[in-house]
Coordinates of all heavy atoms in Angstrom, one line a residue:
F1 N 55.0 52.9 -62.8 CA 56.2 52.9 -62.0 C 56.3 51.7 -61.1 O 55.3 51.3 -60.5 CB 56.2 54.2 -61.1 CG 56.4 55.4 -61.8 CD1 55.2 56.1 -62.2 CD2 57.6 56.0 -62.1 CE1 55.3 57.3 -62.9 CE2 57.7 57.2 -62.8 CZ 56.5 57.8 -63.2
L2 N 57.4 51.1 -61.1 CA 57.7 50.0 -60.2 C 58.8 50.4 -59.3 O 59.9 50.7 -59.7 CB 58.1 48.7 -60.9 CG 58.4 47.5 -60.0 CD1 57.1 46.9 -59.4 CD2 59.1 46.4 -60.8
I3 N 58.6 50.3 -58.0 CA 59.6 50.7 -57.0 C 60.1 49.4 -56.3 O 59.3 48.7 -55.7 CB 59.1 51.7 -56.0 CG1 58.7 53.0 -56.7 CG2 60.1 52.0 -54.9 CD1 57.9 53.9 -55.8
V4 N 61.4 49.2 -56.4 CA 62.0 48.0 -55.7 C 62.8 48.5 -54.5 O 63.6 49.3 -54.6 CB 62.9 47.2 -56.7 CG1 63.5 46.0 -56.0 CG2 62.2 46.8 -58.0
T5 N 62.4 47.9 -53.4 CA 63.1 48.4 -52.1 C 63.2 47.2 -51.2 O 62.5 46.2 -51.3 CB 62.2 49.4 -51.4 OG1 62.9 49.8 -50.2 CG2 60.8 49.0 -51.1
N6 N 64.2 47.3 -50.2 CA 64.3 46.3 -49.2 C 63.2 46.3 -48.2 O 62.6 47.4 -48.0 CB 65.7 46.4 -48.5 CG 66.0 47.7 -48.0 OD1 65.9 48.7 -48.8 ND2 66.3 47.9 -46.7
S7 N 62.8 45.2 -47.7 CA 61.6 45.1 -46.8 C 61.6 46.0 -45.6 O 60.6 46.4 -45.1 CB 61.4 43.7 -46.4 OG 61.2 42.9 -47.6
D8 N 62.8 46.2 -45.0 CA 62.9 47.0 -43.8 C 63.2 48.5 -44.0 O 63.6 49.2 -43.1 CB 64.0 46.4 -42.9 CG 65.4 46.5 -43.5 OD1 65.5 46.8 -44.7 OD2 66.4 46.3 -42.8
N9 N 62.9 49.0 -45.2 CA 63.1 50.4 -45.6 C 62.2 51.2 -44.7 O 61.0 51.1 -44.8 CB 62.9 50.6 -47.0 CG 63.2 52.0 -47.5 OD1 63.2 53.0 -46.7 ND2 63.6 52.1 -48.8
K10 N 62.7 52.1 -43.9 CA 61.9 52.9 -43.0 C 61.1 54.0 -43.7 O 60.1 54.4 -43.2 CB 62.8 53.6 -41.9 CG 63.5 52.7 -41.0 CD 64.4 53.4 -40.0 CE 65.1 52.4 -39.1 NZ 66.0 53.1 -38.2
G11 N 61.5 54.3 -44.9 CA 60.7 55.3 -45.7 C 59.6 54.7 -46.6 O 58.9 55.4 -47.3
K12 N 59.4 53.4 -46.5 CA 58.5 52.7 -47.3 C 57.0 53.2 -47.2 O 56.3 53.5 -48.2 CB 58.6 51.2 -47.1 CG 57.8 50.3 -48.0 CD 58.1 48.8 -47.7 CE 57.6 48.5 -46.3 NZ 57.9 47.1 -45.9
E13 N 56.6 53.3 -45.9 CA 55.2 53.7 -45.7 C 55.0 55.2 -46.1 O 54.0 55.6 -46.6 CB 54.8 53.5 -44.2 CG 54.8 52.1 -43.8 CD 53.9 51.2 -44.6 OE1 52.8 51.7 -44.9 OE2 54.3 50.1 -45.0
F14 N 56.0 56.0 -45.9 CA 56.0 57.4 -46.3 C 55.9 57.5 -47.8 O 55.1 58.3 -48.4 CB 57.2 58.1 -45.8 CG 57.3 59.6 -46.3 CD1 56.4 60.5 -45.9 CD2 58.3 60.0 -47.2 CE1 56.5 61.8 -46.3 CE2 58.4 61.3 -47.6 CZ 57.5 62.2 -47.2
L15 N 56.6 56.7 -48.5 CA 56.6 56.6 -50.0 C 55.2 56.2 -50.4 O 54.6 56.8 -51.4 CB 57.6 55.6 -50.5 CG 57.9 55.7 -52.0 CD1 58.5 57.0 -52.4 CD2 58.9 54.6 -52.3
K16 N 54.6 55.2 -49.8 CA 53.3 54.8 -50.1 C 52.2 55.9 -50.0 O 51.3 56.1 -50.8 CB 52.8 53.6 -49.2 CG 53.5 52.3 -49.6 CD 53.0 51.2 -48.7 CE 53.6 49.8 -49.0 NZ 53.1 48.8 -48.1
S17 N 52.4 56.7 -48.9 CA 51.4 57.8 -48.7 C 51.5 58.8 -49.7 O 50.5 59.5 -50.1 CB 51.6 58.4 -47.3 OG 52.9 59.1 -47.2
L18 N 52.7 59.1 -50.2 CA 52.9 60.1 -51.3 C 52.4 59.6 -52.6 O 51.9 60.5 -53.4 CB 54.4 60.4 -51.4 CG 55.1 61.2 -50.3 CD1 56.6 61.4 -50.6 CD2 54.5 62.6 -50.1
L19 N 52.5 58.3 -52.9 CA 52.2 57.8 -54.2 C 50.9 57.1 -54.2 O 50.6 56.4 -55.2 CB 53.3 56.9 -54.7 CG 54.7 57.6 -54.8 CD1 55.7 56.5 -55.2 CD2 54.7 58.7 -55.9
K20 N 50.0 57.2 -53.2 CA 48.8 56.4 -53.1 C 47.8 56.7 -54.3 O 47.0 55.8 -54.6 CB 48.1 56.5 -51.8 CG 47.7 58.0 -51.4 CD 47.1 58.0 -50.0 CE 46.8 59.5 -49.7 NZ 46.3 59.6 -48.3
K21 N 47.9 57.8 -54.8 CA 47.0 58.2 -55.9 C 47.6 57.9 -57.3 O 47.0 58.1 -58.3 CB 46.6 59.7 -55.8 CG 45.8 60.0 -54.6 CD 45.4 61.4 -54.5 CE 44.6 61.8 -53.3 NZ 44.3 63.2 -53.2
E22 N 48.9 57.5 -57.3 CA 49.6 57.3 -58.6 C 49.5 55.9 -59.0 O 49.1 55.0 -58.3 CB 51.0 57.8 -58.4 CG 51.2 59.2 -57.9 CD 50.8 60.2 -58.9 OE1 50.7 59.9 -60.1 OE2 50.4 61.3 -58.5
N23 N 49.8 55.7 -60.3 CA 49.9 54.3 -60.9 C 51.2 53.7 -60.6 O 52.2 53.9 -61.4 CB 49.6 54.4 -62.4 CG 49.5 53.1 -63.0 OD1 49.3 52.1 -62.4 ND2 49.7 53.0 -64.3
F24 N 51.3 53.0 -59.5 CA 52.6 52.4 -59.2 C 52.5 51.1 -58.4 O 51.4 50.8 -57.9 CB 53.5 53.4 -58.4 CG 53.3 53.3 -56.9 CD1 54.2 52.7 -56.1 CD2 52.1 53.8 -56.3 CE1 54.0 52.6 -54.7 CE2 51.9 53.8 -55.0 CZ 52.9 53.2 -54.2
N25 N 53.5 50.3 -58.4 CA 53.6 49.1 -57.6 C 54.8 49.1 -56.8 O 55.9 49.7 -57.2 CB 53.6 47.9 -58.5 CG 52.3 47.7 -59.3 OD1 51.3 47.5 -58.7 ND2 52.4 47.7 -60.6
L26 N 54.7 48.5 -55.6 CA 55.9 48.5 -54.7 C 56.3 47.0 -54.6 O 55.5 46.2 -54.1 CB 55.5 49.1 -53.4 CG 56.7 49.3 -52.4 CD1 57.6 50.4 -52.9 CD2 56.2 49.6 -51.0
K27 N 57.5 46.7 -55.0 CA 58.0 45.4 -54.9 C 59.1 45.3 -53.8 O 60.1 46.1 -53.9 CB 58.6 44.9 -56.2 CG 59.2 43.5 -56.2 CD 58.2 42.4 -56.1 CE 58.9 41.1 -56.2 NZ 57.9 40.0 -56.0

């Protein structure tokens, strides 16, 4: 999974915590 988001997205860290065990990249 590749997630593309704007840099100031307030939910970014929450998303990272949910998906930390998954195979994904955050761009």
Side-chain angles (χ1 to χ4, degrees):
F1 291 91
L2 178 73
I3 298 168
V4 181
T5 179
N6 50 307
S7 300
D8 62 349
N9 188 334
K10 294 178 181 178
K12 188 174 59 180
E13 295 305 318
F14 176 65
L15 193 62
K16 283 181 180 179
S17 70
L18 289 178
L19 299 174
K20 61 185 177 183
K21 295 180 181 178
E22 303 295 335
N23 181 22
F24 87 104
N25 293 298
L26 188 69
K27 177 70 177 179

